[in-house]
Amino acid sequence: MAVAFQLAWFQLRHEPRKLLAGVAGVVFAVVLCFMQLGFSDALFDSATAVQRRMTGDLFIVHRQSQALWRMTPFARRRVQQALGVPGVASAGLLYAGTADWKNQRTVRRDPILVLGIDPVGGVLELPGLRDHLDAIKNENVVVFDEWSRPEYGPVAALLRANQPVAVEVNHRRLRVAGVFRLGASFAANGNLVTSELNFLRLFPGRSPSQADVGILRLRPGADIRVTQKAVASLMPDDVRVLTKQEFIHLERNYWEETTAIGFIFTVSLFMGFVVGVVVVYQILYSEIMNHLPQYATLKAMGYTHGFLLGVVGSAALMLSVLGYLPGLVVSAGLYHLTSSATALPMGLGVPKLALVFGLTLGMCLLSGALALRKLRAANPADMF
């Protein structure tokens, strides 16, 4: 096997320009795969960030609710009914709505996601939010997400400079009491948190008797599945009772299946794989054609087809490694630039690194397998 590996390396480096072109093609495919996976993960991570930071165990939502920014309100008395189940310790409510934010400096208007909570309920665990829960009890006071996109203005910078910040949301004058950290998503470039009462003031069309999410916390030792069934048995057909994972899946399913975004990411990832297969196939096929007499000579000397298979497989492996490493470096830089420009979470994790390397290795080995069809026909007569 070592001989096959050495022979494959000598063949590849014999024509540096062709080797460089092949590596560049693999790098392009690797970067394309990394970027598609990065955007996909950023989409789902940002879209489900609020759900993952809710402190409940079970969640009551209307059956027609599709995503956090497209919730259908339900009667809040359903949450009070759930408190009658023995396993339920406490309950809270969450309101969600998209409002119109006016930048006071540029007069630009942008949509912003507003979350309404009970300041003493503790239904959201967001970095920095706990310090300002007392403040949002006051009328027309909100807390701003400092990881929002920059078009909302230098809100966080002004607060750090101890300057008062007044904003206009849904044509209502508000005071920003502080900041928390959540981050932008595909549904919203910015976020606000305020009290239930302030939320209803911002959305006067909303009924005080309705809420968007009911959040249930269970007693220690309570079986979550048993309690879920018990709560669901008390509810009418207009609501669903979900675990946190099911609630996250509801949001993810909306973006992955209801919208075209998930399909686009899948197709783009597939196209990156196909590009890599085509490029590497061209390199390996040309190598086989250029050295067909030499391969025939090796067969005449007694080398088996398995040995020749090892040569082509080694070349494919080397191309995958030579293309993966610089592709990883380029992708890391693009991740940083994209995250800075869009405020979306873009990160390289071990599962993603392993998946892309597996795809890279697979595309190169598949290319080698396709190129081997010509090698099978090599015979000693080709040397003359």
Side-chain angles (χ1 to χ4, degrees):
M1 189 61 186
V3 175
F5 190 86
Q6 289 178 341
L7 181 58
W9 172 241
F10 290 147
Q11 283 187 351
L12 287 176
R13 76 174 190 179
H14 177 69
E15 297 184 70
R17 291 185 178 179
K18 187 178 295 185
L19 173 60
L20 184 61
V23 171
V26 177
V27 169
F28 176 78
V30 168
V31 172
L32 187 57
C33 289
F34 265 123
M35 295 308 297
Q36 294 307 317
L37 289 173
F39 281 124
S40 178
D41 288 349
L43 164 64
F44 297 131
D45 288 348
S46 62
T48 60
V50 176
Q51 288 90 333
R52 287 185 281 110
R53 287 165 175 80
M54 292 182 186
T55 59
D57 302 296
L58 293 175
F59 303 87
I60 301 174
V61 299
H62 197 282
R63 285 195 175 275
Q64 295 180 359
S65 293
Q66 296 179 296
L68 192 63
W69 71 285
R70 297 192 69 178
M71 301 297 291
T72 300
F74 65 93
R76 56 186 294 169
R77 66 176 180 274
R78 306 296 180 216
V79 178
Q80 299 300 318
Q81 290 177 269
L83 288 173
V85 175
V88 178
S90 62
L93 298 170
L94 183 135
Y95 301 79
T98 302
D100 180 66
W101 168 287
K102 180 180 178 182
N103 188 316
Q104 298 300 301
R105 296 191 173 190
T106 64
V107 199
R108 169 175 169 168
R109 294 185 178 275
D110 290 282
I112 192 167
L113 181 66
V114 183
L115 302 175
I117 62 172
D118 180 358
V120 299
V123 297
L124 281 178
E125 282 293 340
L126 296 170
L129 179 61
R130 188 183 297 270
D131 298 334
H132 308 291
L133 290 177
D134 286 336
I136 62 175
K137 296 177 184 178
N138 299 310
E139 185 176 352
N140 296 330
V141 176
V142 297
V143 187
F144 179 76
D145 179 10
E146 67 172 323
W147 286 354
S148 298
R149 285 186 51 81
E151 51 257 37
Y152 297 98
V155 177
L158 292 173
L159 289 172
R160 283 193 291 268
N162 295 320
Q163 297 185 31
V165 179
V167 298
E168 183 181 312
V169 179
N170 275 2
H171 306 288
R172 192 178 186 91
R173 190 80 166 175
L174 304 176
R175 180 175 67 87
V176 180
V179 296
F180 64 93
R181 295 180 295 280
L182 176 60
S185 69
F186 276 70
N189 289 330
N191 306 282
L192 292 175
V193 173
T194 189
S195 67
E196 297 173 328
L197 291 177
N198 284 325
F199 181 91
L200 294 173
R201 292 186 182 106
L202 287 172
F203 298 90
R206 295 287 298 270
S207 172
S209 64
Q210 293 185 320
D212 292 313
V213 184
I215 303 173
L216 307 179
R217 286 180 289 271
L218 305 188
R219 300 183 187 278
D223 187 286
I224 189 169
R225 289 297 180 183
V226 172
T227 307
Q228 182 184 20
K229 291 180 179 179
V231 173
S233 66
L234 293 176
M235 300 292 114
D237 292 337
D238 64 334
V239 297
R240 288 190 288 177
V241 182
L242 307 174
T243 63
K244 177 173 281 191
Q245 194 57 44
E246 290 169 344
F247 193 21
I248 291 172
H249 179 73
L250 175 70
E251 183 83 29
R252 183 184 180 105
N253 183 69
Y254 170 80
W255 292 104
E256 194 169 23
E257 298 182 8
T258 305
T259 70
I261 296 177
F263 175 76
I264 291 172
F265 284 149
T266 302
V267 171
S268 298
L269 182 63
F270 176 74
M271 291 305 299
F273 183 84
V274 171
V275 167
V277 169
V278 172
V279 171
V280 176
Y281 171 77
Q282 291 292 336
I283 298 298
L284 295 179
Y285 182 81
S286 64
E287 287 293 331
I288 290 174
M289 292 302 297
N290 291 339
H291 299 93
L292 195 59
Q294 288 80 4
Y295 282 118
T297 301
L298 290 175
K299 275 191 173 183
M301 294 171 60
Y303 285 95
T304 65
H305 184 74
F307 173 80
L308 303 183
L309 176 64
V311 174
V312 177
S314 297
L317 177 61
M318 283 184 278
L319 283 173
S320 65
V321 174
L322 291 173
Y324 177 80
L325 293 177
L328 173 59
V329 174
V330 173
S331 299
L334 291 176
Y335 270 37
H336 177 72
L337 291 175
T338 304
S339 182
S340 300
T342 64
L344 291 173
M346 300 277 287
L348 292 169
V350 174
K352 190 181 299 180
L353 296 175
L355 175 59
V356 175
F357 181 73
L359 289 172
T360 306
L361 183 60
M363 71 175 69
C364 291
L365 292 179
L366 177 59
S367 302
L370 294 174
L372 275 171
R373 293 179 302 172
K374 183 64 179 177
L375 186 57
R376 288 181 181 276
N379 59 77
D382 290 329
M383 61 184 294
F384 300 105

